Amino acid sequence: MTKTLIASLALLAAQPVLADVIVFQGARLIDGSGKAPLENAVIVVDGGRIAAVGPARKVQIPEGARQIDLKGRTVMPGIINAHGHVGLVAGGKNSADAYTRENVLAQLAQYEQYGVTAVLTLGLNRDLVYDVRDEQRRGALGGASLFTAGRGIGVPDGAPPVPVAPDQVYRPKTVEEAIADVRETASHHPDFLKLWVDDVYGKFPKMQPAIFHAAIEEAHKNGVKVASHVFYLEDAKELVRDGVDALAHSVRDQAVDAALIDQMKQRGTFYVSTFTVDESAFRFADEPALLDDPFLAGALAPEVIQQFRSAEYRQKVAADPNLPKIRSALANGMHNLKALHDAGVHIAFGTDSGANPARIAGWAEHRELEMMVAAGLKPMQAIVAATRGSAQMLGAADRGTLEKGKRADFLVLAGNPLDDIRNTRKLVAIWHGGREVKPRVPPAAGATASAPR
Ligand SMILES: [Zn+2]
């Protein structure tokens, strides 16, 4: 035995018994359940879980525990992105060879450093994703907690129109092939199955209803939930009738109607709006001042920011023949989130970040919260969607709210997001499974850098 090892063993033995117990005191607590925030809260964390939480006068503080003063801070659950991607972009570009373990781990770290403590990578994954997920669940890897839909079921020469390798997506030609692809996916025990039902502004053939019907049925037979990319109201209705568990984008061609709302409520279908998908097609060209935000700069290489600032980029955006359609799709989507939310449909939260260079992991999630509020949700309602709502969609009963027995996944903020939802960006610390993660952009730099309107 070396001297240093003996010394460190001696140190370990000298630790107080409650070294693993951390007490957080004095914060305003938004617990993710939607109930009014609790002032001067105490949170006791033991072994990465919440052992006790409540008002200071009611929670007993264990002796010998490490204490952290959070007076003046707000605590909310970690953000859960129920529609994200990893391994599709490298060096500011989409590429078919971007899906490496190294890139996946770096992107999970980026999510976590922006307060996104869990992400569902919804399709276009190489099989290595399952190894990363399983190693992470054994405690061997850090980063945002990975949930995954594996490859997903797309359309031959159709959606998703993303440059990926053949082993990142299935494109079945027949019902039989679709069933075989779902079975192969199910053999990896994914957290979801992903489907793409869209013609991408009329550009591609759409998935045949017989294919998605069979895929949903086969997935459910194998105990796997299904989320679908969607655009049109009629497709949404058919998917919901077939039992899809989540619509992974907004309905964007027209206003939702009572028939869809009734079906979604009856079946408990989740809805994920992903507004940042639509705005990523034009926002930096419309509002280049957003590119000055240090909170954004932390998420992008400087050369990528330069690219978005260029006249070339603005010309490219202006020349997109679909631009007016995308703008109206976003407006429809914003109307529909408010309508579905107010009708009592289950709302989860996602961004589609990581799918292309303009959908920026970490930044997009805070932007999405802001857009949900712009769509008419109260800040508390947007936060509940991004925490409890997403956890319910994932079936992840161990997270989403800050209650006794749940994981200690929470954000410490230097501002109250109920006053201004953009205060979710004022990240002082991220606690993930009771482990502290430093924010990518600390509030000293990011606190005043709210996005201009
Ligand atoms: Zn996606």
Side-chain angles (χ1 to χ4, degrees), residues 83 85 194 352:
H83 185 166
H85 293 278
K194 171 73 181 284
D352 212 1

Side-chain angles (χ1 to χ4, degrees), residues 161-230:
V162 183
V164 290
D167 69 350
Q168 284 178 260
V169 63
Y170 289 111
R171 299 187 187 273
K173 293 185 209 65
T174 64
V175 164
E176 292 69 30
E177 281 180 21
I179 290 171
D181 295 342
V182 173
R183 285 184 184 157
E184 200 287 326
T185 303
S187 73
H188 297 281
H189 308 290
D191 302 287
F192 253 90
L193 179 79
K194 171 73 181 284
L195 306 175
W196 279 268
V197 180
D198 194 2
D199 64 5
V200 192
Y201 295 101
K203 206 168 159 193
F204 300 114
K206 218 192 293 185
M207 183 181 284
Q208 293 301 312
I211 301 259
F212 65 71
H213 177 83
I216 293 169
E217 191 174 80
E218 188 61 28
H220 286 171
K221 269 187 206 161
N222 286 276
V224 177
K225 290 187 283 192
V226 184
S228 186
H229 172 115
V230 71

Side-chain angles (χ1 to χ4, degrees), residues 202-452:
K203 206 168 159 193
F204 300 114
K206 218 192 293 185
M207 183 181 284
Q208 293 301 312
I211 301 259
F212 65 71
H213 177 83
I216 293 169
E217 191 174 80
E218 188 61 28
H220 286 171
K221 269 187 206 161
N222 286 276
V224 177
K225 290 187 283 192
V226 184
S228 186
H229 172 115
V230 71
F231 184 93
Y232 299 97
L233 176 64
E234 287 311 314
D235 295 334
K237 284 183 183 171
E238 191 139 3
L239 284 159
V240 171
R241 262 200 304 272
D242 279 351
V244 81
D245 300 277
L247 299 176
H249 290 294
S250 295
V251 170
R252 287 164 285 173
D253 63 322
Q254 56 180 298
V256 293
D257 60 12
L260 179 73
I261 289 170
D262 291 348
Q263 278 279 327
M264 290 186 81
K265 284 176 71 172
Q266 199 186 316
R267 293 176 171 272
T269 319
F270 283 86
Y271 185 81
V272 180
S273 54
T274 68
F275 296 139
T276 38
V277 165
D278 306 301
E279 81 153 2
S280 68
F282 59 82
R283 185 65 75 199
F284 295 135
D286 280 12
E287 281 183 56
L290 278 178
L291 297 164
D292 301 331
D293 181 356
F295 193 71
L296 173 69
L300 287 174
E303 55 273 24
V304 179
I305 294 187
Q306 276 319 113
Q307 215 175 290
F308 288 134
R309 278 189 209 282
S310 69
E312 258 171 286
Y313 177 74
R314 282 198 300 280
Q315 281 154 15
K316 204 181 101 192
V317 169
D320 181 350
N322 287 330
L323 189 61
K325 292 183 197 166
I326 298 171
R327 291 187 194 278
S328 102
L330 177 57
N332 287 335
M334 290 176 85
H335 167 87
N336 286 338
L337 174 66
K338 174 69 174 157
L340 292 166
H341 177 274
D342 289 358
V345 169
H346 290 310
I347 307 297
F349 172 91
T351 55
D352 212 1
S353 59
N356 74 35
R359 301 190 196 156
I360 300 148
W363 182 80
E365 285 66 33
H366 296 269
R367 179 73 182 175
E368 186 78 25
L369 285 169
E370 181 184 2
M371 294 182 80
M372 290 169 88
V373 171
L377 268 58
K378 295 193 166 70
M380 181 65 96
Q381 295 167 338
I383 289 170
V384 169
T387 57
R388 187 184 65 183
S390 287
Q392 285 176 339
M393 175 179 148
L394 287 169
D398 61 347
R399 65 193 78 206
T401 55
L402 299 175
E403 296 169 293
K404 188 178 172 181
K406 304 267 180 175
R407 287 172 56 101
D409 290 356
F410 59 83
L411 315 181
V412 177
L413 305 173
N416 183 354
L418 303 180
D419 295 340
D420 180 347
I421 192 64
R422 291 172 298 181
N423 284 338
T424 60
R425 300 169 199 198
K426 295 181 182 171
L427 287 164
V428 175
I430 298 128
W431 289 84
H432 186 193
R435 181 175 52 87
E436 184 174 8
V437 177
K438 297 274 178 232
R440 186 87 149 207
V441 183
T448 54
S450 51

